[in-house]
Amino acid sequence: MADSSLISALRERRTDAGLSQAQLAERVGVSRQALSAIEAGRQVPSTTLSLQLARALGCGVEDLFALEAPALIHAALVGSAENSGRRVALGRVDGAWTAHAASNPARPGDGLIVGEVADGGDVRVEPLADIAELENNVLVAGCAPLLGLLAGRLGRRYGDARATWLPANSAQALKLLAAGHVHVAGLHLVDTDTVGGHADLVRAQFPGQATTIIGLTRWRQGLVVAAGNPLGIRTIEDIARPDVRFAGREAGSGANNLVLTLLGTTATHAVVAAGHADVARLVRWGVADVGVAIEAAALAEGLDFIALAEERFDLILPTARLELAPVARLLDLIDQRSFRAEAARVPGYDLGTSGHAVNVDAR
């Protein structure tokens, strides 16, 4: 069986040794025709035959056969590749490749960075998957854990589309969308249960560009405290108490915005959490006494929850990307029973607005 990725130097080594095909074939116990096919790359030798050929020619197997180097992808790097072991998730957005540092060691990466990181963040990446598969990879940034469920279901439902969830707060997700580094961004920056607030924000962020807002879920965001609420935390003002250790969130996150809105200032925090689930874990582990996160995160860790606001989490994308088949499949999945049935079993999410689309005209 031929293997176009195998490079053979057998003919050159045989010629250098002064042997004909017939002579070498006789030494290793194969036909001249079989040896000719191996030299031409039409046949792949077995491990035993490779060792016999190397011994007959007085060299190593690696001197006779090598794997062809894969074609490298040139991509813009997002995140720290060193911290990810130089593993990246890959996607092609508006014709340009983007490589996101792979933050989850339990998920397979799409490629490995080769060589040094060039000025400007451009890198060369050895792909670990078929190029066509990578071109159909939808990059989705946002903080809602429900995005992981949606992305995972896409690959199961369709053979020609897949998605990668890139955890990011709302401000980071919008920044990635504006830079052309993701296809879709998740947003809950406005303390509102209507789409109007997000429409105004998106219109300001993307002037002159038609965008589409698609509802994914509604949730309650509030205070996450230990089971039984041993410190008697009741209101947002309690996070500033001297006896309370507060798990804060980074600037630009929806949780941080909610604290600013309700408290009028930032609160001193004992630790900064990386996301909703991280807030809940820190409280459960006793590292913090309270944090602001969505109800689903609190319920998942068996913690108590004190609601502060009803919010909607929307997906944002340039309207033109609705014509891309992988993106269209991802968004269509929101209305399909397989996704809705599973999402409905995850406590803390309201799917009443899921799949509702609003077009934001360019201005």
Side-chain angles (χ1 to χ4, degrees), residues 247-273:
R249 287 289 307 280
E250 71 281 7
S253 65
N256 189 67
N257 281 4
L258 183 60
V259 172
L260 285 171
T261 299
L262 298 180
L263 197 60
T265 183
T266 57
T268 301
H269 47 255
V271 64
V272 177

Side-chain angles (χ1 to χ4, degrees), residues 77-332:
L77 176 64
V78 179
S80 173
E82 299 303 328
N83 293 339
S84 70
R86 302 171 75 85
R87 300 166 54 251
V88 294
L90 285 167
R92 195 173 178 89
V93 184
D94 297 337
W97 287 102
T98 295
H100 292 261
S103 59
N104 188 345
R107 284 187 60 113
D110 295 327
L112 300 172
I113 293 178
V114 177
E116 299 299 321
V117 177
D119 293 339
D122 291 334
V123 292
R124 294 180 300 156
V125 179
E126 175 187 339
L128 299 177
D130 184 76
I131 295 297
E133 177 186 341
L134 296 175
E135 290 196 341
N136 289 329
N137 186 30
V138 183
L139 300 176
V140 186
C143 67
L146 204 59
L147 292 175
L149 191 154
L150 183 66
R153 285 229 151 263
L154 182 66
R156 293 185 183 183
R157 178 66 177 82
Y158 299 102
D160 60 349
R162 51 172 281 199
T164 298
W165 171 38
L166 303 167
N169 68 44
S170 293
Q172 292 168 339
L174 274 182
K175 184 177 179 181
L176 290 172
L177 186 67
H181 290 158
V182 296
H183 297 89
V184 181
L187 182 65
H188 76 111
L189 274 176
V190 179
D191 179 18
T192 179
D193 194 33
T194 65
V195 74
H198 281 167
D200 291 339
L201 178 61
V202 169
R203 192 175 288 113
Q205 290 286 321
F206 300 94
Q209 184 175 16
T211 55
T212 297
I213 301 175
I214 298 175
L216 180 63
T217 188
R218 290 186 301 196
W219 58 34
R220 297 196 301 173
Q221 188 162 210
L223 301 175
V224 177
V225 297
N229 195 5
L231 295 182
I233 296 170
R234 301 296 178 200
T235 68
I236 190 66
E237 287 77 14
D238 287 333
I239 69 175
R241 282 168 32 188
D243 63 325
V244 170
R245 295 167 300 165
F246 175 57
R249 287 289 307 280
E250 71 281 7
S253 65
N256 189 67
N257 281 4
L258 183 60
V259 172
L260 285 171
T261 299
L262 298 180
L263 197 60
T265 183
T266 57
T268 301
H269 47 255
V271 64
V272 177
H276 298 286
D278 198 29
V279 168
R281 283 191 292 264
L282 290 171
V283 172
R284 181 172 65 84
W285 293 338
V287 177
D289 300 309
V290 62
V292 174
I294 60 175
E295 185 176 14
L299 294 174
E301 297 292 344
L303 304 172
D304 283 5
F305 179 79
I306 302 154
L308 296 175
E310 298 270 349
E311 297 178 340
R312 56 182 293 133
F313 184 90
D314 294 323
L315 300 180
I316 317 296
L317 72 159
T319 303
R321 288 187 191 153
L322 295 174
E323 302 299 322
L324 300 176
V327 174
R329 291 198 185 285
L330 177 76
L331 300 177
D332 287 344

Side-chain angles (χ1 to χ4, degrees), residues 336-358:
Q336 293 184 12
R337 186 185 180 283
S338 59
F339 170 72
R340 283 182 169 271
E342 185 172 9
R345 295 296 190 275
V346 182
Y349 294 111
D350 178 352
L351 303 180
T353 60
S354 299
H356 294 183
V358 173

